[in-house]
Amino acid sequence: MSMANILLVEDDENLAFMLSENLEVEGFGVQHVKRGEYVMEAIDENPIDLILMDVDLAGDMNGFEVAEKVR
C-alpha cells in the first residue's frame, strides 16, 4: 500500500517519468497529467493527498491558475 497519492502535473515527459519512478520507489502512488486542464478531473476521479506541479505548463492553464482553481 502506498504512503500517499500524488498528482504530478508536468508537461515534460522525461522529467515526469524520472519523478514518477523515484516517488514510486519511495512508496508513493503517482498519477501523472500533462496539462493543467486535466487536474480537476484527476482530483474528482481519485483521492489525492498532494499535488506536485510545474508552474510553466503547456496548454490553457499555467500552474498558478490551476492552484487557484484547486484552492
Side-chain angles (χ1 to χ4, degrees), residues 3-43:
M3 295 190 297
N5 293 317
I6 297 174
L7 176 60
L8 175 61
V9 186
E10 175 57 62
D11 55 355
D12 181 316
E13 284 292 327
N14 291 325
L15 181 56
F17 177 78
M18 181 195 67
L19 288 169
S20 294
E21 288 290 311
N22 283 294
L23 289 166
E24 288 171 352
V25 164
E26 293 299 324
F28 295 98
V30 180
Q31 179 183 354
H32 171 235
V33 295
K34 295 180 187 180
R35 298 173 62 119
E37 299 87 81
Y38 305 141
V39 169
M40 297 310 291
E41 183 179 327
I43 290 171

